Amino acid sequence: MFNSTSNGNRKGVPDWLNSSLWSSSTPPPPSSPKSSPNDVVPPRAVKSTSKTAEESTYDPPAPAQEQAQATITAPPTAAIRPDPPKVEAQDPLVTSRRYYSIDEDDDEENGARSYNDATAAAVPASSAAEDISWQAQLLQELSRKVINMGELRRLASQGIPDGAGIRSTVWKLLLGYLPCDRSIWSSELAKKRSQYDHFKEELLMNPSEITRRLEKSSPKSDESDGEDKGFLSRSEITQGDHPLSLGKTSIWNQFFQDTEVIEQIDRDVKRTHPDMNFFSGDSSFAKSNQDALRDILIIFAKLNPGIRYVQGMNEILAPLFYVFINDPSEENAVSAEADTFFCFVELLSGFRDHFCQKLDNSVVGIRSTITRLSLLLKEHDEELWRHLDITTKVNPQFYAFRWITLLLTQEFNFADSLLIWDTLLSDPEGPQETLLRICCAMLMIIRRRLLAGDFTSNLKLLQHYPPTNIRHLLYVANKLRTHPAC
């Protein structure tokens, strides 16, 4: 655990947390607007705490996805479709790899030791070569007849490159939607997609249409004259078919009970990532994406009456749908809604207890999970834990509730969230343990600011988490697993 001295010397902090690799003096960013981090989809939660690229940016040692994308070709089985319509000024999946913001305090704490010119110039070249090799390894693994999930998890945990539909395919494998055996992919996908079509037909139909179809399928419908066709006589309307029926089996009673949930879903879907034209706006493209999210959430709510819909599920659903509909395979993109539904169910199965209010105070509820985060921080940095928990009395629920329930989708920009999810989904222990380590790392890498702050400043900082180097964050989180506290 940390034992920082009173004069600010970081002698007791492990070297792997303070490596100069993450806080070197950086060259000014390119003048082209395409390289500016301000063109990346801005984080919803970060407002006044955001820093400009001129204040603190750094080109990390392992990105340069752009060069790699130009070199790696798509798997031979993928049918390439034309690029989707441009809905953003700059694709967040491309720009996110360059110029991450770093907290200015990290520069102070790490001594701001900078690379010499020769070393700095060598980093991008080696990174590009490593990146090409890394994508090639992933594509090679995905082309195997039977995929080695252990190797795939290892590769994916470092972040999945954009392009060639790699992330879409890997996420489906990591979530168990696709089996390891490639030979049965087609049959499994066809079965699941057909099942989802059946769900839509059965669960999204209003009672009037159900009654109309039942009447149409009745033998009497053929004998009815044209004037009466399509209507039931009063004597034929059962108690369950009557719109004013309060019976538990009444389709109308259930319809009216669902209305409140559907209205909440409608409101939340329209608020999903308002800074991205992909999800918001008046274009037909955005409307169709909103409709897909809405249908998925309604079907999930109806199939899971114990949980139904809880506010915030739309934020967890959004990254899945975005990744799947941008698959370069036309067949996969067309079926993105069905694939997203089943992957959403799989992902939520590991966190569903967090959305059940009756379980909040149980050992599997959200409060228990937040307590585990607090204990993890105490284990690795007791000084920081004591300052937050005892001195300033910042209750972890004030910030960690959103971090955990929304899987960090609101703390970082959209592109960085995808990188974090690559790591979350690839962990063989399950996403929850990795999520807690990342949350703990988020606290540790801004520890100096937290130790210097009071209740008000710390709460504001944690509820509006500052931009940070995502690769450094994931590096520190991984070290919490490999370097247990002394």
Side-chain angles (χ1 to χ4, degrees), residues 63-74 91-98 100 131 134-135 138-139 159-168 171 322-323 326-328 414-416 418-419 422 471:
Q65 303 290 23
E66 296 88 346
Q67 297 99 323
Q69 285 183 24
T71 308
I72 300 300
T73 57
D91 186 350
L93 297 185
V94 175
T95 58
S96 67
R97 306 287 183 163
R98 307 289 303 276
Y100 294 89
D131 203 48
W134 166 41
Q135 291 195 50
L138 268 169
L139 287 170
I160 301 170
D162 311 319
I166 296 177
R167 179 176 275 121
S168 174
W171 279 16
Y322 180 91
V323 167
N326 282 293
D327 192 308
F414 191 78
D416 286 346
L418 299 186
L419 291 174
D422 291 341
R471 292 191 180 279

Side-chain angles (χ1 to χ4, degrees), residues 3 12 14 64 119 124 132 142 208 281 315 349 382:
N3 295 301
T119 305
I132 293 171
L142 292 176
S208 295
E315 303 292 353
S349 66
E382 185 170 356

Side-chain angles (χ1 to χ4, degrees), residues 287-308:
K287 292 289 186 184
S288 67
N289 293 334
Q290 289 179 2
D291 289 343
L293 297 183
R294 177 184 183 275
D295 289 349
I296 291 171
L297 292 170
I298 291 174
I299 292 171
F300 178 85
K302 290 189 174 186
L303 291 176
N304 295 271
I307 300 178
R308 293 175 72 77

Side-chain angles (χ1 to χ4, degrees), residues 163-269:
I166 296 177
R167 179 176 275 121
S168 174
T169 303
V170 171
W171 279 16
K172 291 172 186 176
L173 284 160
L174 295 176
L175 287 166
Y177 180 57
L178 283 178
C180 299
D181 188 347
R182 281 184 51 133
S183 65
I184 60 175
W185 279 11
S186 295
S187 59
E188 287 295 313
L189 287 174
K191 182 171 66 176
K192 289 290 188 181
R193 290 165 179 174
S194 174
Q195 185 180 2
Y196 182 75
D197 289 340
H198 177 72
F199 286 154
K200 289 189 72 171
E201 184 176 351
E202 181 181 332
L203 300 174
L204 298 182
M205 193 183 303
N206 81 38
S208 295
E209 181 63 24
I210 295 174
T211 302
R212 210 173 286 119
R213 291 196 177 191
L214 289 173
E215 192 277 336
K216 188 175 181 180
S217 64
S218 171
K220 288 186 178 182
S221 62
D222 297 330
E223 302 170 5
S224 305
D225 56 33
E227 185 178 350
D228 296 327
K229 192 169 183 179
F231 298 92
L232 293 174
S233 66
R234 180 169 298 187
S235 60
E236 292 175 310
I237 299 177
T238 64
Q239 181 67 21
D241 291 331
H242 198 287
L244 300 181
S245 171
L246 298 177
K248 292 182 179 180
T249 60
S250 168
I251 56 176
W252 279 101
N253 184 34
Q254 186 61 51
F255 173 77
F256 289 125
Q257 288 182 11
D258 292 339
T259 300
E260 184 178 349
V261 174
I262 293 173
E263 289 176 351
Q264 180 65 58
I265 290 173
D266 282 336
R267 287 193 296 270
D268 289 351
V269 163

Side-chain angles (χ1 to χ4, degrees), residues 340-476:
T340 301
F341 169 77
F342 287 104
C343 288
F344 176 69
V345 172
E346 288 295 330
L347 177 60
L348 220 59
S349 66
F351 297 95
R352 61 183 298 146
D353 293 337
H354 293 165
F355 292 96
C356 187
Q357 189 173 3
K358 294 179 180 178
L359 297 176
D360 279 356
N361 296 315
S362 70
V363 293
V364 295
I366 182 62
R367 286 179 181 154
S368 176
T369 303
I370 292 174
T371 299
R372 287 169 55 203
L373 171 60
S374 182
L375 293 176
L376 187 64
L377 178 64
K378 182 180 181 181
E379 176 187 356
H380 289 280
D381 191 345
E382 185 170 356
E383 180 188 13
L384 179 57
W385 169 83
R386 188 176 299 278
H387 181 74
L388 291 175
D389 201 67
I390 299 175
T391 305
T392 61
K393 300 188 184 303
V394 178
N395 190 323
Q397 292 188 31
F398 294 160
Y399 58 89
F401 182 89
R402 186 177 69 183
W403 291 8
I404 293 170
T405 56
L406 301 187
L407 307 187
L408 299 175
T409 56
Q410 301 300 286
E411 314 315 315
F412 305 97
N413 69 47
F414 191 78
D416 286 346
S417 296
L418 299 186
L419 291 174
I420 291 173
W421 276 36
D422 291 341
T423 300
L424 286 179
L425 300 181
S426 63
D427 197 313
E429 296 179 9
Q432 187 168 128
E433 296 304 317
T434 305
L435 177 62
L436 292 181
R437 283 192 291 269
I438 294 174
C439 290
C440 186
M442 288 169 64
L443 296 168
M444 293 167 65
I445 63 177
I446 58 170
R447 67 187 308 271
R448 178 164 181 169
R449 292 177 67 175
L450 292 172
L451 288 173
D454 57 12
F455 173 86
T456 303
S457 62
N458 283 347
L459 185 60
K460 181 179 179 181
L461 179 63
L462 295 173
Q463 289 184 340
H464 301 82
Y465 195 81
T468 192
N469 185 316
I470 297 301
R471 292 191 180 279
H472 179 39
L473 173 63
L474 297 177
Y475 171 81
V476 173

Side-chain angles (χ1 to χ4, degrees), residues 40-47 50 275 410-414 467:
V40 180
V41 178
R44 287 181 60 189
V46 179
K47 296 180 182 176
S50 298
D275 49 359
Q410 301 300 286
E411 314 315 315
F412 305 97
N413 69 47
F414 191 78

